[in-house]
Amino acid sequence: MDPHLLRTYVAVARLASFSAAARELGYTQSAVSQHIAALEQDLGTPLLTRRPVTPTRAGERLLEHAGPLLLRLDAARAEVAALAGAADEGLTLAAAPTALTPRTLQALPPTGVTLRVLPRADVPEAVATGAAHLGLVDGLAAPNDPLRLADVAPLTAHGAGQEPVRVLLPAGHPLARRTGLRLGDLADARWLDAPGAGLPLRQLRSAHGTGGFRPALRYEGTDVRTLTALAAAGHGLVLLPESAAAAPGTVAVPLTEPRVVHRTELVHAGALRGPAAAFAARLDVTRSGIVARRHAG
Protein backbone atom coordinates (compact mmCIF):
# COMPACT_ATOMS: atom_id res chain seq x y z
CA MET A 1 0.00 0.00 0.00
CA ASP A 2 1.50 3.33 -1.10
CA PRO A 3 1.71 5.68 1.94
CA HIS A 4 1.31 8.73 -0.32
CA LEU A 5 -2.05 7.41 -1.50
CA LEU A 6 -3.00 6.60 2.07
CA ARG A 7 -2.20 10.16 3.23
CA THR A 8 -4.37 11.52 0.44
CA TYR A 9 -7.22 9.23 1.47
CA VAL A 10 -6.98 10.31 5.12
CA ALA A 11 -7.10 13.99 4.10
CA VAL A 12 -10.14 13.50 1.86
CA ALA A 13 -11.99 11.51 4.53
CA ARG A 14 -11.15 14.04 7.26
CA LEU A 15 -12.16 17.08 5.19
CA ALA A 16 -15.07 15.33 3.42
CA SER A 17 -13.97 17.06 0.24
CA PHE A 18 -11.69 16.26 -2.70
CA SER A 19 -11.10 19.95 -3.43
CA ALA A 20 -10.30 20.84 0.19
CA ALA A 21 -7.87 17.92 0.41
CA ALA A 22 -6.21 19.09 -2.82
CA ARG A 23 -5.69 22.58 -1.37
CA GLU A 24 -4.30 21.21 1.88
CA LEU A 25 -1.92 18.76 0.21
CA GLY A 26 -0.84 21.05 -2.64
CA TYR A 27 -2.21 18.76 -5.37
CA THR A 28 -4.70 19.34 -8.13
CA GLN A 29 -8.18 17.97 -7.57
CA SER A 30 -7.60 15.61 -10.49
CA ALA A 31 -4.47 14.23 -8.81
CA VAL A 32 -6.39 13.63 -5.58
CA SER A 33 -9.10 11.75 -7.48
CA GLN A 34 -6.43 9.65 -9.19
CA HIS A 35 -4.84 8.83 -5.81
CA ILE A 36 -8.14 7.65 -4.38
CA ALA A 37 -8.94 5.61 -7.48
CA ALA A 38 -5.50 3.96 -7.38
CA LEU A 39 -5.89 3.09 -3.69
CA GLU A 40 -9.36 1.65 -4.26
CA GLN A 41 -8.02 -0.41 -7.17
CA ASP A 42 -5.14 -1.67 -5.01
CA LEU A 43 -7.49 -2.75 -2.21
CA GLY A 44 -10.22 -3.98 -4.53
CA THR A 45 -13.07 -2.08 -2.88
CA PRO A 46 -14.65 1.40 -2.83
CA LEU A 47 -13.41 3.51 0.08
CA LEU A 48 -15.51 6.65 -0.35
CA THR A 49 -18.97 7.58 -1.50
CA ARG A 50 -18.81 10.69 -3.67
CA ARG A 51 -22.04 12.59 -2.95
CA PRO A 52 -21.60 13.32 -0.09
CA VAL A 53 -17.95 12.38 0.44
CA THR A 54 -18.04 9.86 3.28
CA PRO A 55 -16.09 6.67 4.01
CA THR A 56 -17.67 3.35 3.13
CA ARG A 57 -17.61 0.57 5.70
CA ALA A 58 -14.28 -0.60 4.28
CA GLY A 59 -13.06 3.00 4.25
CA GLU A 60 -13.89 3.45 7.93
CA ARG A 61 -11.93 0.33 8.76
CA LEU A 62 -8.97 1.60 6.75
CA LEU A 63 -9.05 4.89 8.68
CA GLU A 64 -8.67 2.96 11.94
CA HIS A 65 -5.40 1.52 10.60
CA ALA A 66 -4.20 4.59 8.71
CA GLY A 67 -3.33 6.83 11.66
CA PRO A 68 -1.04 4.34 13.45
CA LEU A 69 0.51 3.19 10.14
CA LEU A 70 1.42 6.70 9.00
CA LEU A 71 2.65 7.65 12.45
CA ARG A 72 4.94 4.63 12.56
CA LEU A 73 6.37 5.60 9.16
CA ASP A 74 7.02 9.15 10.39
CA ALA A 75 8.57 7.78 13.58
CA ALA A 76 10.87 5.49 11.60
CA ARG A 77 11.98 8.36 9.36
CA ALA A 78 12.68 10.58 12.38
CA GLU A 79 14.67 7.92 14.23
CA VAL A 80 16.77 7.03 11.18
CA ALA A 81 17.43 10.72 10.53
CA ALA A 82 18.58 11.14 14.14
CA LEU A 83 20.94 8.16 13.85
CA ALA A 84 22.31 9.56 10.60
CA GLY A 85 23.09 12.85 12.31
CA ALA A 86 20.43 14.79 10.42
CA ALA A 87 18.91 16.13 13.63
CA ASP A 88 19.99 19.59 14.79
CA GLU A 89 22.22 20.10 17.81
CA GLY A 90 19.70 21.97 19.93
CA LEU A 91 16.98 20.58 22.16
CA THR A 92 13.29 20.71 21.31
CA LEU A 93 11.13 19.72 24.25
CA ALA A 94 7.40 19.07 23.90
CA ALA A 95 5.52 19.23 27.18
CA ALA A 96 2.04 19.18 28.60
CA PRO A 97 1.39 22.42 30.54
CA THR A 98 1.21 20.83 33.97
CA ALA A 99 4.28 18.69 33.25
CA LEU A 100 6.34 21.88 33.44
CA THR A 101 6.90 21.65 37.17
CA PRO A 102 9.58 23.71 38.96
CA ARG A 103 11.81 20.64 38.93
CA THR A 104 11.58 20.11 35.16
CA LEU A 105 11.99 23.83 34.41
CA GLN A 106 15.12 24.05 36.55
CA ALA A 107 16.64 21.17 34.59
CA LEU A 108 16.40 23.02 31.25
CA PRO A 109 19.75 24.12 29.80
CA PRO A 110 20.37 27.87 29.70
CA THR A 111 20.56 28.10 25.88
CA GLY A 112 19.60 26.20 22.75
CA VAL A 113 16.14 25.10 23.87
CA THR A 114 12.84 25.26 22.00
CA LEU A 115 9.91 24.56 24.31
CA ARG A 116 6.64 23.49 22.72
CA VAL A 117 3.63 23.43 25.07
CA LEU A 118 1.07 21.00 23.68
CA PRO A 119 -2.06 19.18 24.83
CA ARG A 120 -0.75 16.11 26.68
CA ALA A 121 -2.25 13.72 24.11
CA ASP A 122 -0.11 15.33 21.37
CA VAL A 123 3.24 15.06 23.17
CA PRO A 124 4.07 11.38 22.38
CA GLU A 125 3.26 11.92 18.70
CA ALA A 126 5.53 14.98 18.54
CA VAL A 127 8.39 12.88 19.92
CA ALA A 128 7.64 9.89 17.70
CA THR A 129 7.62 11.96 14.50
CA GLY A 130 10.78 13.89 15.34
CA ALA A 131 9.01 17.20 15.92
CA ALA A 132 10.57 17.14 19.40
CA HIS A 133 13.63 15.38 20.80
CA LEU A 134 12.01 14.77 24.18
CA GLY A 135 8.55 14.92 25.68
CA LEU A 136 7.19 15.53 29.16
CA VAL A 137 3.82 13.94 29.84
CA ASP A 138 1.87 13.81 33.07
CA GLY A 139 -1.25 12.49 34.73
CA LEU A 140 -2.77 10.90 37.80
CA ALA A 141 -1.27 7.67 39.12
CA ALA A 142 -0.88 5.71 42.31
CA PRO A 143 2.40 6.62 44.05
CA ASN A 144 5.39 5.23 42.10
CA ASP A 145 3.15 3.63 39.45
CA PRO A 146 3.81 4.38 35.76
CA LEU A 147 1.44 6.38 33.59
CA ARG A 148 -0.69 4.60 31.03
CA LEU A 149 0.60 6.07 27.79
CA ALA A 150 -0.90 5.46 24.37
CA ASP A 151 1.31 3.15 22.31
CA VAL A 152 1.63 5.51 19.36
CA ALA A 153 5.16 4.37 18.46
CA PRO A 154 8.28 2.83 20.01
CA LEU A 155 9.04 5.22 22.88
CA THR A 156 10.96 4.88 26.12
CA ALA A 157 9.50 6.45 29.27
CA HIS A 158 11.28 7.36 32.50
CA GLY A 159 9.72 8.52 35.73
CA ALA A 160 10.65 12.19 36.15
CA GLY A 161 8.94 13.12 39.41
CA GLN A 162 5.68 13.11 41.33
CA GLU A 163 3.91 15.48 43.68
CA PRO A 164 0.60 15.73 45.57
CA VAL A 165 -2.57 16.95 43.87
CA ARG A 166 -5.01 19.60 45.08
CA VAL A 167 -8.57 20.60 44.30
CA LEU A 168 -8.73 24.26 43.27
CA LEU A 169 -11.87 26.01 44.57
CA PRO A 170 -13.10 29.60 44.53
CA ALA A 171 -12.25 31.30 47.83
CA GLY A 172 -15.94 31.52 48.78
CA HIS A 173 -16.78 27.89 48.02
CA PRO A 174 -18.47 25.96 50.89
CA LEU A 175 -15.64 23.38 50.84
CA ALA A 176 -12.81 25.91 50.81
CA ARG A 177 -12.21 25.61 54.58
CA ARG A 178 -11.73 21.84 54.50
CA THR A 179 -8.29 20.49 55.35
CA GLY A 180 -8.74 17.66 52.85
CA LEU A 181 -11.24 16.40 50.30
CA ARG A 182 -12.24 12.96 49.07
CA LEU A 183 -12.74 12.57 45.34
CA GLY A 184 -15.94 10.61 45.92
CA ASP A 185 -17.52 13.62 47.64
CA LEU A 186 -16.91 15.75 44.53
CA ALA A 187 -18.33 13.49 41.82
CA ASP A 188 -21.52 15.57 41.57
CA ALA A 189 -19.78 18.96 41.73
CA ARG A 190 -19.45 21.32 38.77
CA TRP A 191 -16.07 20.76 37.11
CA LEU A 192 -13.95 22.50 34.53
CA ASP A 193 -13.18 20.22 31.58
CA ALA A 194 -9.69 21.27 30.44
CA PRO A 195 -7.97 18.27 28.81
CA GLY A 196 -5.14 20.42 27.46
CA ALA A 197 -4.34 22.44 30.58
CA GLY A 198 -5.56 20.49 33.62
CA LEU A 199 -5.83 16.86 34.61
CA PRO A 200 -8.52 15.32 32.36
CA LEU A 201 -11.90 14.46 33.86
CA ARG A 202 -11.59 10.92 32.48
CA GLN A 203 -8.64 10.43 34.83
CA LEU A 204 -10.82 11.52 37.76
CA ARG A 205 -13.49 9.04 36.72
CA SER A 206 -10.89 6.31 36.42
CA ALA A 207 -9.42 7.14 39.86
CA HIS A 208 -12.90 7.16 41.40
CA GLY A 209 -13.99 4.02 39.58
CA THR A 210 -17.40 5.41 38.59
CA GLY A 211 -19.00 8.12 36.48
CA GLY A 212 -19.81 11.65 37.51
CA PHE A 213 -17.51 14.69 37.28
CA ARG A 214 -19.77 16.47 34.82
CA PRO A 215 -18.20 19.48 33.08
CA ALA A 216 -19.80 22.86 33.64
CA LEU A 217 -17.44 24.57 31.17
CA ARG A 218 -14.95 23.22 28.65
CA TYR A 219 -11.65 25.03 28.15
CA GLU A 220 -9.69 23.92 25.08
CA GLY A 221 -6.52 25.95 25.62
CA THR A 222 -3.21 25.07 27.25
CA ASP A 223 -2.76 28.10 29.53
CA VAL A 224 -2.89 27.04 33.18
CA ARG A 225 -3.30 30.66 34.35
CA THR A 226 -6.50 30.98 32.31
CA LEU A 227 -7.73 27.72 33.80
CA THR A 228 -7.11 28.87 37.38
CA ALA A 229 -8.81 32.20 36.61
CA LEU A 230 -11.88 30.28 35.43
CA ALA A 231 -11.85 28.34 38.70
CA ALA A 232 -11.56 31.59 40.69
CA ALA A 233 -14.56 32.98 38.81
CA GLY A 234 -16.68 30.03 39.95
CA HIS A 235 -17.01 28.21 36.63
CA GLY A 236 -16.05 24.85 38.13
CA LEU A 237 -13.54 22.90 40.17
CA VAL A 238 -10.23 21.70 38.78
CA LEU A 239 -7.65 19.19 39.98
CA LEU A 240 -4.03 20.34 39.60
CA PRO A 241 -0.57 19.35 40.80
CA GLU A 242 0.39 21.11 44.01
CA SER A 243 2.99 23.30 42.30
CA ALA A 244 0.39 24.71 39.85
CA ALA A 245 -2.55 25.04 42.26
CA ALA A 246 -2.11 28.66 43.31
CA ALA A 247 -4.04 31.63 41.98
CA PRO A 248 -5.66 34.80 43.36
CA GLY A 249 -9.20 34.21 44.56
CA THR A 250 -8.79 30.44 44.97
CA VAL A 251 -8.08 27.93 47.70
CA ALA A 252 -6.15 24.71 46.98
CA VAL A 253 -7.36 21.85 49.20
CA PRO A 254 -5.36 18.58 49.33
CA LEU A 255 -6.96 15.48 47.85
CA THR A 256 -6.83 12.83 50.57
CA GLU A 257 -8.69 9.93 48.94
CA PRO A 258 -7.95 8.02 46.77
CA ARG A 259 -4.20 8.10 47.29
CA VAL A 260 -2.99 9.41 43.95
CA VAL A 261 -0.21 11.73 42.83
CA HIS A 262 0.59 13.90 39.85
CA ARG A 263 3.25 11.96 37.94
CA THR A 264 5.56 13.35 35.25
CA GLU A 265 7.41 11.17 32.76
CA LEU A 266 10.13 11.88 30.20
CA VAL A 267 9.61 10.13 26.85
CA HIS A 268 12.00 9.74 23.94
CA ALA A 269 12.62 7.65 20.82
CA GLY A 270 15.91 5.86 20.40
CA ALA A 271 18.97 6.48 22.54
CA LEU A 272 19.49 9.72 24.43
CA ARG A 273 22.27 11.80 22.91
CA GLY A 274 23.72 15.28 23.17
CA PRO A 275 21.50 17.97 24.72
CA ALA A 276 18.68 15.44 25.26
CA ALA A 277 20.96 13.20 27.30
CA ALA A 278 22.26 16.21 29.26
CA PHE A 279 18.72 17.31 30.11
CA ALA A 280 17.78 13.79 31.26
CA ALA A 281 20.91 13.72 33.43
CA ARG A 282 20.03 17.05 35.05
CA LEU A 283 16.51 15.80 35.62
CA ASP A 284 18.08 12.66 37.13
CA VAL A 285 15.34 10.40 35.80
CA THR A 286 17.10 7.29 37.08
CA ARG A 287 16.21 8.35 40.64
CA SER A 288 12.70 9.63 39.95
CA GLY A 289 10.56 6.52 39.95
CA ILE A 290 10.31 3.35 37.95
CA VAL A 291 12.95 1.89 35.66
CA ALA A 292 12.70 3.06 32.06
CA ARG A 293 10.22 1.07 30.01
CA ARG A 294 9.70 0.70 26.29
CA HIS A 295 6.36 1.21 24.52
CA ALA A 296 6.23 -1.04 21.51
CA GLY A 297 3.66 0.97 19.59
Side-chain angles (χ1 to χ4, degrees), residues 217-233:
L217 182 149
R218 181 176 174 87
Y219 170 57
E220 296 186 349
T222 57
D223 183 16
V224 178
R225 292 179 62 181
T226 299
L227 179 61
T228 58
L230 288 168

Side-chain angles (χ1 to χ4, degrees), residues 42-200:
D42 181 27
L43 296 176
T45 185
L47 299 173
L48 294 166
T49 61
R50 269 44 177 187
R51 296 178 183 273
V53 178
T54 56
T56 63
R57 184 177 179 183
E60 290 177 351
R61 185 63 178 149
L62 179 60
L63 283 174
E64 294 176 9
H65 290 285
L69 284 171
L70 294 174
L71 181 57
R72 290 299 297 271
L73 286 172
D74 290 340
R77 180 185 293 274
E79 191 163 349
V80 171
L83 289 172
D88 59 57
E89 293 301 318
L91 173 63
T92 299
L93 175 67
T98 46
L100 294 171
T101 63
R103 184 172 183 274
T104 56
L105 292 173
Q106 289 167 5
L108 289 173
T111 59
V113 180
T114 299
L115 178 60
R116 299 182 60 199
V117 179
L118 303 173
R120 68 176 45 78
D122 296 343
V123 173
E125 182 173 338
V127 176
T129 58
H133 300 103
L134 295 172
L136 284 170
V137 293
D138 68 337
L140 285 181
N144 299 317
D145 275 3
L147 296 176
R148 295 181 179 179
L149 302 180
D151 286 333
V152 297
L155 295 176
T156 300
H158 307 259
Q162 60 185 32
E163 61 178 314
V165 291
R166 293 180 178 265
V167 181
L168 200 65
L169 308 147
H173 195 280
L175 300 176
R177 295 185 179 181
R178 294 277 191 93
T179 57
L181 290 169
R182 298 184 304 174
L183 198 56
D185 294 336
L186 304 172
D188 294 327
R190 299 172 69 251
W191 285 86
L192 285 164
D193 183 15
L199 296 173

